[in-house]
């Protein structure tokens, strides 16, 4: 029997990518406003969300003594920087189509910076405790992104005619790297001394918020989209899931139960790490593969 990979054989590292988003149509996924905006919500959340993840792991560096884990953190930071930048470009594309969230995104970003400054101004041992809370939030969110990523990568029936090819490559590359680095925040959390109670407590509000907030945000994107008609509905969501167009929100919510197992590790999530690494080795928009990967500037 072949062993299932829980972590990649090599420490994670950023890759150089190239996506041509200039021709992406407003409803780039199956010409369907709800399906497209279900993924576009990621464009709105990821840039600041992933910078928050990076703040938490960068702040953890002074407490990490293991060389492999320090390398993993640097690779994680590089990957998330690249993800955030590419999704920013998607946000600009949405703005060109008249879908404007700039004010909210700027406020979101300001909030992240203020939080990071406050945490870094704390004296020890309070700083360490605040950083542990940040990493616990990151590890919980990374569980959710890895779950979504698994469904995006494994269940999609996207074809170049139904889905803009570069948008599809962008989401598949991001999904694959999320699966590749899904263990990093969790490993750092444990290395820095994080225990079960704190990580489980943080997952409860996150787990409850996601199935409510994601549809609400998708509805709001549809409301601001001059080309969209109708309202978000669960019936249409489940139809898009059955067609392999979007990830399943109910299944991702259900996957959160795995996080509450005391011996949980992100490597146990159902998505195949092999499949993600194979995708990245062949991905059309990744420039250079193992051995030729760029070291992103992360500090
Ligand atoms: Fe990411
Ligand atoms: Fe991530």
């Amino acid at each position: 029997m072949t062993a299932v990979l829980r972590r990649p054989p090599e420490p994670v590292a950023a890759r150089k990518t190239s996506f041509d988003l200039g021709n992406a149509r407003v409803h780039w996924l199956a010409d369907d406003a709800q399906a497209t905006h279900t993924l576009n919500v990621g464009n709105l959340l990821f840039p600041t969300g992933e910078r928050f993840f990076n703040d938490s792991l960068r702040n953890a560096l002074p407490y990490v003594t293991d060389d492999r884990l320090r390398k993993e953190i640097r690779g994680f930071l590089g990957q998330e920087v690249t993800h955030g930048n590419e999704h920013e470009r998607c946000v600009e594309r949405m703005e060109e189509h008249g879908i404007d969230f700039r004010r909210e995104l700027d406020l979101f970003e300001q909030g992240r910076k203020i939080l990071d400054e406050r945490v870094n101004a704390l004296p020890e041992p309070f700083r360490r405790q605040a950083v542990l809370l940040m990493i616990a939030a990151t590890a919980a969110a990374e569980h959710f992104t890895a779950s979504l990523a698994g469904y995006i990568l494994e269940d999609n029936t996207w074809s170049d005619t139904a889905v803009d090819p570069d948008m599809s490559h962008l989401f598949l590359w991001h999904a694959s790297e999320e699966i590749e680095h899904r263990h990093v925040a969790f490993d750092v959390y444990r290395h820095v001394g994080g225990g079960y109670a704190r990580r489980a407590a943080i997952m409860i509000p996150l787990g409850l918020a996601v199935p409510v907030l994601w549809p609400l945000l998708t509805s709001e994107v549809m409301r601001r989209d001059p080309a969209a008609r109708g309202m978000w509905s669960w019936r249409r969501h489940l139809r898009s899931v059955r067609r392999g167009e979007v990830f399943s929100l109910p299944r991702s919510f259900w996957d959160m139960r795995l996080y509450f197992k005391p011996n949980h590790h992100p490597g146990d999530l159902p998505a195949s790490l092999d499949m993600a690494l194979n995708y990245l080795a062949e991905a059309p928009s990744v420039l250079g593969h193992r051995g030729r990967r760029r070291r992103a500037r992360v500090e």
Side-chain angles (χ1 to χ4, degrees):
M1 208 173 89
T2 324
V4 176
L5 276 181
R6 292 179 104 205
R7 294 181 182 84
E10 290 179 47
V12 300
R15 294 174 177 81
K16 192 172 182 182
T17 51
S18 169
F19 303 100
D20 179 5
L21 306 178
N23 296 318
R25 55 196 188 273
V26 58
H27 301 148
W28 55 266
L29 178 48
D31 291 313
D32 183 298
Q34 180 171 312
T36 300
H37 294 325
T38 298
L39 289 188
N40 280 345
V41 164
N43 294 332
L44 301 176
L45 296 178
F46 292 147
T48 291
E50 296 186 316
R51 280 178 208 129
F52 169 83
F53 302 166
N54 278 1
D55 291 343
S56 72
L57 292 204
R58 194 182 295 107
N59 290 341
L61 274 170
Y63 313 122
V64 176
T65 50
D66 180 87
D67 281 348
R68 157 113 189 189
L69 202 47
R70 291 180 69 84
K71 256 191 204 156
E72 298 262 48
I73 291 176
R74 292 206 169 81
F76 179 100
L77 299 180
Q79 289 194 348
E80 296 292 31
V81 163
T82 321
H83 299 169
N85 291 344
E86 292 298 348
H87 285 284
E88 284 278 11
R89 292 177 59 221
C90 297
V91 170
E92 286 163 16
R93 190 79 195 128
M94 288 167 71
E95 287 170 352
E96 285 165 19
H97 289 301
I99 306 166
D100 185 4
F101 280 82
R102 187 50 57 190
R103 199 172 65 86
E104 291 88 345
L105 293 180
D106 287 348
L107 283 173
F108 194 24
E109 183 63 17
Q110 272 175 30
R112 176 193 69 81
K113 285 182 182 161
I114 291 169
L115 176 70
D116 194 49
E117 281 167 17
R118 298 249 163 106
V119 166
N120 278 304
L122 290 171
E124 294 294 1
F126 302 107
R127 182 185 183 276
R128 188 187 181 109
Q129 292 305 316
V131 169
L132 259 177
L133 263 184
M134 288 176 80
I135 311 169
T138 298
E142 284 282 290
H143 178 92
F144 178 66
T145 54
S147 166
L148 291 189
Y151 295 127
I152 288 177
L153 189 66
E154 294 183 346
D155 294 348
N156 85 81
T157 54
W158 298 348
S159 71
D160 284 359
T161 48
V163 181
D164 178 87
D166 279 76
M167 290 300 286
S168 146
H169 296 157
L170 191 152
F171 274 90
L172 293 175
W173 153 76
H174 188 173
S176 300
E177 289 197 343
E178 286 304 317
I179 294 167
E180 183 188 30
H181 75 219
R182 63 190 173 186
H183 61 288
V184 177
F186 191 90
D187 287 352
V188 173
Y189 176 71
R190 287 208 302 208
H191 180 82
V192 177
Y196 176 79
R198 185 174 347 213
R199 74 167 174 86
I202 287 245
M203 181 53 115
I204 292 169
L206 181 79
L208 294 174
V210 163
V212 177
L213 282 184
W214 205 285
L216 281 176
L217 277 169
T218 310
S219 298
E220 186 57 20
V221 181
M222 290 172 76
R223 196 182 68 76
R224 295 191 195 189
D225 174 2
R229 299 278 171 275
M231 307 258 295
W232 190 93
S233 79
W234 278 106
R235 188 179 55 79
R236 277 200 275 177
H237 176 68
L238 295 173
R239 188 186 63 196
S240 287
V241 170
R242 275 196 305 277
R243 290 177 178 167
E245 292 166 357
V246 298
F247 53 80
S248 163
L249 280 168
R251 278 206 289 168
S252 294
F253 177 69
W254 182 236
D255 281 349
M256 289 188 190
R257 80 196 184 286
L258 302 171
Y259 198 73
F260 293 98
K261 285 204 241 164
N263 61 349
H264 169 73
H265 184 267
D268 300 331
L269 275 165
S272 158
L273 178 57
D274 272 335
M275 188 172 177
L277 296 179
N278 287 340
Y279 177 81
L280 291 167
E282 305 284 330
S285 303
V286 172
L287 307 176
H289 295 284
R290 287 246 176 238
R292 288 188 289 127
R293 291 185 300 177
R294 165 184 80 152
R295 280 197 75 80
R297 192 176 154 75
V298 294
E299 288 174 289

